[in-house]
Amino acid sequence: MLRKVGDSYVVDNYPSLWDDGKTKSPEIIKILGNKLTWVTYSDDIMTFHFDKIEERDNDVYFFKIGNRFLFQWADKKKHIAKWTIYLGDDRIMSSYLYIDSLYNTFPIVDYEWGPPGEIDEAWD
């Protein structure tokens, strides 16, 4: 997952939120065959199978599985894409830029959560 910093981007290396010894960072969405794998820094790895990919427009693809995933190229030459994830009632859960890790030229930085208690306050 990419984050804009100044005129460029960085890839965040997220530490585990739950201190369970499983660091699954950075956030990853991967398609292989008819399987979409979604790895987040705070949840278990989720795998979804799909029957088909719906092409909605030029370089816009929709996956009707569990949460619904929309893929759109932001910069095909740099292998940067925007993934939008929808909840069951069509609200947007997240919409972020991702880069194929094989082509990443941006720095990978350790993500800092902020002062203690900030995470707990976000869940309230």
Side-chain angles (χ1 to χ4, degrees), residues 7-96:
D7 294 335
S8 189
Y9 296 97
V10 297
V11 175
D12 286 317
N13 180 29
Y14 290 100
S16 176
L17 277 176
W18 313 120
D19 194 25
D20 59 3
K22 299 182 212 170
T23 302
K24 299 173 286 197
S25 60
E27 187 165 330
I28 297 167
I29 299 175
K30 181 171 72 172
I31 301 286
L32 184 59
N34 70 336
K35 181 172 76 171
L36 184 146
T37 303
W38 185 22
V39 181
T40 69
Y41 49 85
S42 61
D43 295 319
D44 288 333
I45 296 171
M46 293 170 270
T47 301
F48 304 96
H49 290 85
F50 54 88
D51 294 326
K52 67 176 187 167
I53 299 171
E54 179 183 322
E55 187 169 358
R56 290 205 161 168
D57 201 356
N58 190 26
D59 292 333
V60 177
Y61 305 92
F62 188 70
F63 303 82
K64 292 182 180 181
I65 46 178
N67 294 323
R68 293 181 308 265
F69 294 79
L70 184 78
F71 172 92
Q72 180 176 10
W73 284 110
D75 188 325
K76 204 170 191 175
K77 289 181 182 179
K78 293 182 180 177
H79 301 268
I80 298 173
K82 182 176 185 180
W83 281 95
T84 303
I85 303 171
Y86 295 87
L87 296 169
D89 59 4
D90 292 333
R91 287 180 297 148
I92 293 176
M93 183 169 110
S94 63
S95 187
Y96 298 110

